[in-house]
């Protein structure tokens, strides 16, 4: 899902009904509504797009990861269980999945961008990210421009793709549907390099020492958890859970669990 990006967005209008004062309902509400609205009573449905380790990945038949653990804190505070909904990333980032009530929130390693902010509301930032370059070990590529005449892979609908298109004059760009396909293409030599978020690429290199992250680009990205536009009650609950986790040490413990270190201040 990658500094997962900003495709041009077509806003989808939808009529919504307002239900206030309920802890769990099946309808939407307008911005500022005091009620907490969930798609299904007793369940917090999270849209994501697999695989995106270490944020979301399926292991032993169960979806786990940094984002999963973080949203579990929100679900616990609400007294409900989190349910993961694996769905194409385009439906998440365009806001369509919220319009059709597929999920309550989206935790998908998703960068907050102005385009996305038009079709959903975001939590406070919970993770700092930037773009990075993955190659086979020993390759000399230090920036996108070094790949002129070579193949650079990127994941569809991501900020990595946007960066590659902006800086990749003379580079042959190859689009992949998901992160797994992109990583395999780099490892197999199908492309000379791949661009994606630094967190997922460093995680991949740990398990694949024949690959290397040769460069990082300071794009100053921040991940946010998305909710349907106007679902302020849920957004505030998410923000409260993130704030509490950062203050009591829970965030650092989850971070170290998935990244092997604590976040830099």
């Amino acid at each position: 899902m990658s500094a997962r990006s900003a495709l041009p967005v077509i806003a989808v209008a939808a009529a919504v009904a307002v239900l206030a004062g309920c802890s769990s309902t099946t309808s939407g509400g307008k911005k500022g509504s005091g009620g907490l609205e969930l798609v299904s009573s007793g369940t917090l449905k999270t849209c994501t797009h697999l695989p995106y380790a270490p944020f979301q990945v399926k292991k032993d038949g169960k979806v786990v990861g940094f984002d999963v653990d973080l949203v579990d804190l929100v679900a616990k505070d609400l007294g409900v269980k989190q349910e993961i909904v694996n769905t194409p990333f385009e439906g998440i980032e365009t806001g369509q999945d919220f319009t059709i009530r597929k999920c309550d929130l989206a935790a998908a390693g998703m960068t907050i961008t102005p385009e996305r902010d038009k079709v959903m509301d975001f939590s406070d930032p919970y993770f700092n990210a930037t773009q990075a370059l993955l190659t086979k070990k020993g390759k000399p590529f230090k920036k996108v421009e070094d790949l002129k005449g070579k193949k650079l892979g990127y994941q569809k609908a991501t900020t990595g793709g946007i960066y590659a298109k902006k800086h990749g004059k003379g580079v042959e760009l190859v689009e992949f549907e998901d992160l797994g396909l992109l990583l395999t293409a780099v490892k197999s030599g199908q492309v000379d390099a791949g661009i994606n978020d630094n967190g997922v690429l460093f995680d991949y290199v740990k398990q694949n020492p024949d690959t290397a992250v040769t460069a990082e680009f300071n794009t100053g990205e921040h991940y946010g958890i998305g909710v349907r536009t106007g679902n302020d009650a849920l957004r505030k609950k998410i923000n409260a859970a993130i704030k509490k986790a950062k203050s009591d040490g829970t965030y650092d413990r989850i971070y170290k669990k998935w990244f092997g270190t604590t976040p830099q201040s």
Side-chain angles (χ1 to χ4, degrees), residues 53-102:
F55 295 91
Q56 315 93 6
V57 65
K58 183 172 283 189
K59 290 185 178 179
D60 301 322
K62 183 180 180 181
V63 179
V64 296
F66 179 82
D67 281 1
V68 179
D69 284 355
L70 199 61
V71 174
D72 271 342
L73 300 178
V74 181
K76 183 178 179 181
D77 286 349
L78 296 178
V80 299
K81 294 289 186 180
Q82 180 181 185
E83 178 184 329
I84 306 293
V85 180
N86 185 26
T87 184
F89 191 64
E90 296 93 320
I92 296 173
E93 69 134 12
T94 59
Q96 183 179 17
D97 286 345
F98 294 125
T99 300
I100 63 175
R101 300 297 189 269
K102 183 178 282 190

Side-chain angles (χ1 to χ4, degrees), residues 205-264:
V205 168
K206 290 178 186 176
Q207 307 301 323
N208 296 270
D210 58 333
T211 63
V213 174
T214 58
E216 291 183 81
F217 313 116
N218 186 20
T219 51
E221 299 177 43
H222 306 283
Y223 290 173
I225 295 174
V227 300
R228 179 182 48 77
T229 298
N231 197 349
D232 282 358
L234 180 55
R235 184 178 58 82
K236 289 175 181 177
K237 287 288 187 181
I238 295 169
N239 285 342
I242 293 172
K243 184 178 180 179
K244 180 182 177 183
K246 288 187 174 182
S247 65
D248 67 12
T250 302
Y251 181 92
D252 284 359
R253 288 194 295 273
I254 294 173
Y255 194 103
K256 189 171 184 179
K257 172 184 175 182
W258 292 104
F259 296 97
T261 184
T262 52
Q264 296 180 351

Side-chain angles (χ1 to χ4, degrees), residues 16-20 22-40 43-45 74 78 97-99 101 103-106 119-123 225-239:
V16 294
V18 180
L19 291 178
C22 300
S23 62
S24 180
T25 76
T26 56
S27 297
K30 292 180 179 178
K31 204 163 202 170
S33 172
L36 176 61
E37 303 130 8
L38 297 180
V39 171
S40 299
T43 303
L44 184 64
K45 291 191 174 184
V74 181
L78 296 178
D97 286 345
F98 294 125
T99 300
R101 300 297 189 269
C103 52
D104 299 295
L105 60 83
V119 295
M120 69 183 81
D121 288 342
F122 279 102
S123 71
I225 295 174
V227 300
R228 179 182 48 77
T229 298
N231 197 349
D232 282 358
L234 180 55
R235 184 178 58 82
K236 289 175 181 177
K237 287 288 187 181
I238 295 169
N239 285 342

Side-chain angles (χ1 to χ4, degrees), residues 1-4 48-58 64-67 108-111 129 131 155 158-159 178-180 196-201 203 223:
M1 310 188 185
S2 99
R4 310 221 192 175
T48 195
H49 180 59
L50 302 172
Y52 204 64
F55 295 91
Q56 315 93 6
V57 65
K58 183 172 283 189
V64 296
F66 179 82
D67 281 1
M110 180 164 56
T111 297
Q131 292 304 299
Q155 183 183 348
T158 64
T159 47
D178 59 44
L179 177 65
N196 210 286
D197 292 6
N198 56 347
V200 293
L201 296 188
D203 182 75
Y223 290 173

Side-chain angles (χ1 to χ4, degrees), residues 143-156:
K143 53 186 184 293
V144 172
E145 290 83 351
D146 290 342
L147 288 153
K148 188 173 182 179
K150 305 288 186 180
K151 292 182 179 180
L152 173 64
Y154 68 91
Q155 183 183 348
K156 183 179 181 180

